[in-house]
């Protein structure tokens, strides 16, 4: 076992983990933050996307020990403490950007990463950035609309 | 995943020493190694993380050379080389997806030498030099077939040194599910010669298409490639994504596109 410390959604955490523990396992099973999903076994679906020191990363393709000392933001960190949805989350609701919702946490984290580096993306740029987020329900169209709407709402 | 020990050395020397004790493997961005461990296709006793090793990240340009630290991520290369070497920046910016590019490194891609990876095409196409903790290896000697390189078990890539081309371009036909190259062709005009390197296509991994190099050396135009026979279909990968003759045809098409993109 190894001791690791990190900040998750603004809160400091310290824990003992086995080196083989994936970051997503640590978030879901040790911290109970089950908003981050596991949609595949092959690092291809993006359902597990979180931010590590402000950068988008697949939490299923990173060890918890690699996140030692890092600042992590998960989907739980996107809403206000009283549960009010963040701008991107609200846009997904308003534009029907989800059906079953399984891919949504990863989509929202990717959209947030995109809008930070490109606050006014075109439809084509949104589709290119979301290349690593698979959705089995929506056909992507309303997801792209939601991200555009979020960009406009954030001005 | 099987259990392993995790160490995080601070210098290249410490990392090499750690690799020499027991069944150990280097961990860079983990974008190939962690999926491999998850599938239990490898069972190292120890992972030696390069994340804390000084001096492995960053890009230096000057004297007709671009040197990229082995631990530099695809995302940083895409951003920082957009002005200086657009062909390398575009190649890096089209690897996988944004999350993969934020963690995956050029050194990891070269050490792995996947037959469909993008970086081997650029390194062979530009005749780059792979710099390790103990020597410098010419691209022509580095790649030795599927997932096989000139690296020794305990050898660490520290940097890659590219000559600055006159013009260069990479044309990739994506395999849409994996986003690796179904066929990718890197064409470069250097002082006095043309190099053409092909990834994704051959049973033996990345290779130089010498017939195209000779034809383009005489006349640097897509029409010079048009006149050539494609490489032998029986030497190409044949799988559910494309038969050998299809890949051979694509090699020709993507070479023409890369030449056209060189302008
Ligand atoms: C969904 C997905 C899509 C992808 N799409 C593409 C694509 O389109 N094109 C493409 O080319 N690649 C693609 N990749 C692979 C990606 O580029 C990886 O980042 C890269 O192949 C490995 O780099 P890494 O830093 O992640 O290495 P790791 O996974 O950490 O290591 C890979 C191997 O290299 C060894 N190694 C790592 N660094 C060194 C070093 N400095 N010296 C010696 N040995 C070392 C390790 O021991 C291991 O054996 C994709 C990956 C995923 C998950
Ligand atoms: S669960 Fe991480 S990419 Fe699918
Ligand atoms: S909403 Fe069901 S997978 Fe995307």
């Amino acid at each position: 076992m190894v001791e690791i410390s990190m900040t998750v959604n603004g809160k400091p955490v310290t824990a003992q983990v086995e080196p083989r523990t994936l970051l997503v396992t640590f978030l879901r099973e040790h911290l109970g933050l089950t908003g981050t999903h596991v949609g595949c076994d092959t690092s291809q679906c993006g359902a597990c996307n979180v931010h590590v020191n402000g950068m988008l990363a697949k939490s299923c393709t990173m060890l918890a020990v690699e996140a030692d000392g890092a600042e992590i933001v998960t989907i739980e960190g996107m809403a206000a403490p009283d549960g009010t949805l963040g701008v991107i989350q609200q846009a997904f609701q308003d534009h029907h950007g989800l059906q079953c919702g399984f891919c949504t946490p990863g989509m929202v984290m990717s959209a947030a990463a995109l809008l930070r580096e490109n606050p006014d993306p075109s439809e084509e740029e949104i589709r290119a950035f979301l290349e690593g987020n698979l959705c089995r329900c929506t056909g992507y169209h309303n997801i792209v609309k939601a991200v555009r709407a979020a960009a406009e709402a954030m001005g | 995943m099987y259990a392993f020990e995790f160490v995080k050395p601070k210098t290249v020397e410490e990392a090499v020493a750690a690799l020499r004790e027991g069944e150990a493997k280097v961990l860079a961005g983990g974008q190939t190694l962690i999926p491999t461990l998850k599938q239990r296709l490898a069972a190292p006793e120890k992972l030696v993380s390069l994340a804390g090793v000084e001096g492995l990240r960053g890009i230096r340009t000057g004297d007709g050379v671009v040197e990229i630290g082995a631990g530099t991520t695809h995302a940083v290369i895409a951003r920082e080389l957009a002005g200086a070497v657009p062909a390398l920046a575009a190649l890096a910016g089209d690897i996988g997806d944004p999350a993969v590019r934020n963690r995956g490194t050029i050194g990891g891609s070269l050490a792995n030498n996947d037959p469909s990876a993008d970086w081997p095409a650029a390194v062979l196409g530009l005749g780059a030099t792979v710099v390790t903790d103990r020597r410098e290896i010419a691209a022509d000697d580095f790649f030795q077939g599927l997932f096989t390189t000139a690296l020794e078990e305990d050898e660490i890539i520290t940097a890659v040194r590219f000559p600055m081309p006159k013009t260069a371009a990479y044309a990739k036909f994506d395999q849409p599910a994996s986003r690796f190259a179904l066929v990718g062709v890197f064409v470069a005009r250097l002082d006095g010669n043309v190099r053409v390197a092909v990834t994704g296509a051959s049973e033996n991994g990345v290779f130089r298409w010498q017939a195209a190099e000779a034809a383009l050396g005489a006349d640097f135009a897509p029409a010079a490639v048009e006149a050539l026979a494609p490489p032998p279909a029986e030497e190409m990968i044949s799988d559910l994504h494309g038969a050998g003759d299809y890949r051979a045809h694509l090699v020709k098409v993507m070479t023409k596109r890369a030449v056209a993109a060189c302008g």
Side-chain angles (χ1 to χ4, degrees):
Chain A
M1 298 292 251
V2 185
E3 182 170 290
I4 55 171
S5 300
M6 62 185 89
T7 310
V8 180
N9 301 327
K11 284 201 213 88
V13 295
T14 297
Q16 300 278 333
V17 296
E18 272 193 277
R20 65 172 157 175
T21 309
L22 294 170
L23 178 59
V24 70
T25 311
F26 181 67
L27 294 170
R28 288 177 56 87
E29 295 176 19
H30 295 237
L31 302 183
L33 295 171
T34 53
T36 301
H37 290 168
V38 177
C40 74
D41 246 348
T42 51
S43 303
Q44 283 173 311
C45 77
C48 64
N49 280 355
V50 299
H51 295 179
V52 178
N53 294 328
M55 282 195 325
L56 191 68
K58 297 181 183 186
S59 60
C60 77
T61 312
M62 191 172 165
L63 302 171
V65 289
E66 291 183 279
D68 188 22
E71 274 188 41
I72 309 290
V73 179
T74 70
I75 188 68
E76 286 88 350
M78 299 304 279
D82 68 357
T84 307
L85 296 181
V87 175
I88 299 171
Q89 291 172 304
Q90 190 59 51
F92 270 69
Q93 189 181 80
D94 294 345
H95 294 270
H96 213 81
L98 62 150
Q99 289 178 24
C100 80
F102 198 86
C103 69
T104 314
M107 288 286 180
V108 169
M109 299 317 287
S110 288
L114 167 63
L115 295 179
R116 193 161 38 215
E117 68 181 58
N118 179 359
D120 187 25
S122 65
E123 176 180 336
E124 205 181 324
E125 286 169 333
I126 295 169
R127 287 184 188 275
F129 198 91
L130 296 180
E131 190 165 35
N133 290 82
L134 302 186
C135 175
R136 291 268 131 150
C137 305
T138 62
Y140 302 99
H141 198 65
N142 286 348
I143 291 175
V144 176
K145 271 205 246 169
V147 178
R148 255 320 302 167
E152 275 157 35
M154 289 158 103
Chain B
M1 220 185 295
Y2 295 107
F4 48 76
E5 183 196 343
F6 179 83
V7 296
K8 206 171 161 185
K10 292 217 161 27
T11 65
V12 174
E13 293 71 42
E14 282 171 30
V16 172
L19 278 176
R20 286 185 176 148
E21 300 153 10
E23 276 276 309
K25 253 190 159 334
V26 167
L27 175 67
Q31 301 302 292
T32 294
L33 185 53
I34 293 179
T36 309
L37 296 175
K38 280 165 56 175
Q39 309 282 345
R40 294 195 161 180
L41 295 172
E45 289 168 7
K46 176 162 63 179
L47 291 191
V48 180
S49 166
L50 297 185
V53 175
E54 295 285 330
L56 287 185
R57 274 171 296 276
I59 303 175
R60 292 164 291 279
T61 49
D63 293 334
V65 167
V66 186
E67 188 170 296
I68 304 179
T72 313
T73 61
H74 311 316
V76 166
I77 299 170
R79 203 163 51 234
E80 293 190 5
L81 281 185
V85 198
L88 294 183
L91 176 148
D94 198 36
I95 290 176
D97 57 57
V100 167
R101 294 195 288 274
N102 278 341
R103 294 197 61 79
T105 67
I106 184 171
S109 177
L110 295 174
N112 192 51
N113 193 19
D114 186 299
S116 301
D118 296 307
W119 279 119
V123 168
L124 190 62
L126 282 169
T129 304
V130 178
V131 184
T132 77
D133 61 277
R134 63 200 65 167
R135 58 184 168 148
E136 301 194 347
I137 310 172
D140 286 316
D141 302 323
F142 183 80
F143 302 104
Q144 303 191 343
L146 302 194
F147 300 104
T148 311
T149 68
L151 292 175
E152 290 167 26
E153 287 291 328
D154 59 353
E155 192 165 9
I156 293 178
I157 303 176
T158 55
V160 187
R161 200 178 301 135
F162 293 93
M164 196 72 96
K166 280 196 200 136
T167 56
Y170 180 58
K172 172 177 178 180
F173 193 95
D174 283 41
Q175 200 277 80
S178 75
R179 300 183 281 279
F180 276 83
L182 191 64
V183 169
V185 179
F186 198 98
V187 171
R189 284 178 103 171
L190 296 138
D191 271 337
N193 66 332
V194 175
R195 289 174 70 109
V196 178
V198 181
T199 189
S202 167
E203 297 259 348
N204 297 313
V206 68
F207 71 98
R208 283 171 68 187
W209 188 19
Q210 268 140 354
E213 292 181 351
L216 289 166
D219 173 20
F220 194 80
V225 180
E226 184 56 41
L228 299 173
E234 59 281 6
E235 289 171 18
M236 300 294 113
I237 300 169
S238 220
D239 60 16
L240 79 169
H241 306 299
D245 56 347
Y246 177 63
R247 277 195 167 80
H249 173 70
L250 271 185
V251 170
K252 214 171 134 170
V253 173
M254 299 322 278
T255 304
K256 283 191 286 186
R257 286 191 194 168
V259 172
C262 281

